[in-house]
Amino acid sequence: MLAAKIFGCRLVSRVKSPLASIIFFAVLMFFMLADCIISNISLEPTVFSHNKEDSQALQTLKVVRKTSSDVVLLPLPLTVPTQNKIIEVDNERRNSLASSLTGRKGHGVGKFRRKLPEYAIFKSDELTKKFHGRVLGFFNNRCEVHFFMTWISPVESFGRRETMAVESVFKSHPNGCLMILSRTMDSVRGYRLLKPLLDRGFKVVAVTPDFPFLVKNTPAEAWFNEMKSGKKDPGGIPLAQNLSNLIRLLVLHKYGGVYLDTDFIVLKSLKGLKNTIGAQSMDAASKNWTRLNNAVLVFDMKHPLVLKFIEEFALTFDGNKWGHNGPYMVSRVVGRVEGRSGYNFTILPPLAFYPVDWVKIGSLFKAPKDRAGSRWAEAKLQQLKGKTYGVHLWNKQSRKLQVEEGSVMKRLMAEHCVLCKNVYTS
């Protein structure tokens, strides 16, 4: 390029005619074009080193840009190597973004498929195939009452409060049988947690449930197949919570018995109850219930109300509304069928299972600060010893609360434990 400029300067100084000027500029353009072509050829290997992977990355960028305008686009993380300047997209974050965008649109089947492997309860294996036989073998004629609990969290999370709930079952039902439906508790570590009770002669076992067996020939079978295949959105609320809502209904439908949440402290025998559900709240003036709850359910095998619960769960499932598939679901169903022929069940007042509302549950954990507080605590204990079968602790609100010395909860735990070795501080 420099040579061309020098040559041009000399030629202009010697030639003055218009024709010579035209020839000069033509020669100058020729040298400039040749120089450009040579430069492009030298860069060609770098340009075409962008293989199919880079092409796919660029296509991904184009796909994201085509997303509809109602979705907020987030910048894609890019890394640019300094030597060849090849653009690479971080696959992990790109997939995360794609899932986020798809979720906001509400139509991402692929997203749901990726989410399901996290839930081992959907798996079928040699252990789940033994479920039905294990249930029949465990609940024999020597069981005074058949109890069920569910535990879908890690075994490490089964702590003092859950242990206290289990102990309280046997304090009031020494001849009862408790089955904990849980894959995580059906393990060596889970067995060790339950062994102190087994050594005392209490009948308790953790069993891995067979979900396909439980939903078979029920209104929830189609729901389960859609969820398992990734065609149904599990929603933003932990799927484990909603699966617990369904499993309790399925086992009561198949076998009958008593279902209890793991944050429910039993205070007296439930043996005399039959086809019973409890009200969480009622209208003070009319004394009619305003909301029911499913933390305690007592029903015979194949009871029509339980079947209606299962049907409602499957037809109206919403994984984004807390309580929609649990307390609100049973409230909706009972509100429709109450008083109709063919249904025979009892609704107990809040004092039976939910004597303290969730907004006031903290009062049971606090020690009295003065004489008025002590009188209130004594009055509450006397009330609970009357018509209350147990206390729901509303774990979501109370799990971080400490059980203070002298509190109502401390006294209840001391009176209704069977091992009584641990200090139940939370």
Side-chain angles (χ1 to χ4, degrees):
M1 193 70 178
L2 182 60
K5 291 181 179 180
I6 296 172
F7 175 77
C9 292
R10 291 177 181 175
L11 190 60
V12 170
S13 64
R14 294 180 183 179
V15 182
K16 303 293 185 179
S17 66
L19 179 61
S21 298
I22 292 173
I23 294 172
F24 161 71
F25 282 112
V27 173
L28 182 63
M29 291 299 296
F30 171 81
F31 277 103
M32 292 175 64
L33 180 61
D35 187 44
C36 182
I37 292 173
I38 293 171
S39 298
N40 285 341
I41 292 174
S42 66
L43 291 174
E44 189 174 32
T46 301
V47 174
F48 287 97
S49 65
H50 299 183
N51 54 22
K52 293 181 179 180
E53 181 180 352
D54 304 314
S55 176
Q56 292 172 355
L58 294 175
Q59 289 174 6
T60 302
L61 290 172
K62 292 178 182 178
V63 169
V64 173
R65 291 192 187 101
K66 289 179 181 178
T67 307
S68 58
S69 59
D70 62 333
V71 178
V72 179
L73 296 181
L74 301 177
L76 287 173
L78 304 175
T79 58
V80 184
T82 56
Q83 293 183 347
N84 55 14
K85 297 184 180 180
I86 298 176
I87 298 176
E88 297 179 355
V89 180
D90 186 323
N91 289 329
E92 182 178 352
R93 294 186 183 180
R94 181 189 68 200
N95 291 338
S96 176
L97 175 61
S99 296
S100 175
L101 296 175
T102 304
R104 293 177 194 178
K105 292 297 291 179
H107 300 293
V109 173
K111 169 195 171 187
F112 309 147
R113 282 203 188 99
R114 286 195 298 272
K115 202 170 183 180
L116 288 177
E118 302 172 9
Y119 302 101
I121 195 168
F122 282 99
K123 298 178 182 178
S124 294
D125 51 30
E126 292 302 318
L127 198 57
T128 60
K129 292 177 182 177
K130 300 176 182 178
F131 170 72
H132 183 56
R134 294 175 74 184
V135 174
L136 296 180
F138 181 70
F139 290 125
N140 52 43
N141 295 329
R142 292 177 294 173
C143 294
E144 185 180 43
V145 184
H146 299 178
F147 289 97
F148 291 100
M149 290 181 175
T150 63
W151 188 257
I152 307 180
S153 300
V155 65
E156 295 82 6
S157 301
F158 198 91
R160 295 173 178 176
R161 180 168 299 186
E162 291 74 29
T163 302
M164 178 65 223
V166 171
E167 289 188 31
S168 71
V169 170
F170 294 113
K171 182 70 174 184
S172 298
H173 311 84
N175 296 316
C177 297
L178 170 61
M179 177 172 286
I180 303 173
L181 302 167
S182 171
R183 179 180 285 271
T184 60
M185 286 291 289
D186 190 4
S187 61
V188 173
R189 184 161 182 172
Y191 174 78
R192 289 173 180 167
L193 289 173
L194 301 177
K195 191 175 183 302
L197 290 165
L198 293 169
D199 291 343
R200 294 285 189 94
F202 297 116
K203 303 178 185 70
V204 57
V205 67
V207 175
T208 302
D210 185 348
F211 216 109
F213 168 78
L214 287 171
V215 299
K216 190 173 180 60
N217 298 325
T218 74
E221 187 172 11
W223 175 90
F224 170 74
N225 290 332
E226 288 184 357
M227 186 66 71
K228 187 177 181 181
S229 64
K231 295 179 180 178
K232 184 172 287 291
D233 182 3
I237 292 173
L239 183 58
Q241 177 179 318
N242 284 317
L243 289 176
S244 175
N245 286 326
L246 179 57
I247 292 174
R248 69 189 69 180
L249 302 175
L250 294 172
V251 294
L252 291 179
H253 174 67
K254 293 280 187 182
Y255 306 106
V258 179
Y259 169 80
L260 301 173
D261 270 1
T262 53
D263 60 345
F264 185 83
I265 307 300
V266 179
L267 302 184
K268 68 179 182 179
S269 176
L270 284 71
K271 185 179 178 180
L273 298 181
K274 185 178 180 66
N275 300 323
T276 300
I277 189 170
Q280 176 183 326
S281 59
M282 65 167 46
D283 182 77
S286 66
K287 302 300 180 182
N288 294 326
W289 64 269
T290 55
R291 185 184 302 172
L292 306 181
N293 201 290
N294 62 337
V296 180
L297 298 169
V298 186
F299 283 95
D300 294 337
M301 181 192 310
K302 296 185 178 180
H303 192 279
L305 182 60
V306 175
L307 192 62
K308 278 291 184 183
F309 289 156
I310 297 172
E311 182 182 71
E312 180 76 6
F313 179 97
L315 292 177
T316 67
F317 178 83
D318 188 334
N320 294 310
K321 295 180 180 179
W322 187 91
H324 177 83
N325 313 298
Y328 292 105
M329 181 272 293
V330 295
S331 299
R332 291 195 303 271
V333 173
V334 172
R336 291 198 298 263
V337 305
E338 189 177 10
R340 288 170 51 181
S341 61
Y343 297 90
N344 180 26
F345 62 93
T346 300
I347 302 175
L348 293 181
L351 189 59
F353 303 139
Y354 313 101
V356 181
D357 194 54
W358 63 272
V359 295
K360 299 178 180 179
I361 191 64
S363 61
L364 298 186
F365 290 76
K366 296 178 181 179
K369 296 293 190 292
D370 49 32
R371 184 173 298 177
S374 296
R375 286 198 299 268
W376 177 88
E378 290 297 330
K380 178 58 68 175
L381 285 168
Q382 291 302 315
Q383 181 192 50
L384 296 177
K385 289 179 180 179
K387 298 181 179 180
T388 299
Y389 289 92
V391 181
H392 189 229
L393 301 184
W394 309 104
N395 197 40
K396 189 175 182 180
Q397 281 70 36
S398 68
R399 61 188 172 188
K400 295 182 179 180
L401 298 178
Q402 296 296 309
V403 180
E404 297 181 5
E405 195 68 37
S407 65
V408 172
M409 188 54 57
K410 182 72 174 182
R411 293 175 64 175
L412 289 177
M413 289 180 168
E415 293 175 7
H416 298 279
C417 61
V418 291
L419 298 177
C420 305
K421 290 183 179 180
N422 298 325
V423 177
Y424 298 103
T425 56
S426 63

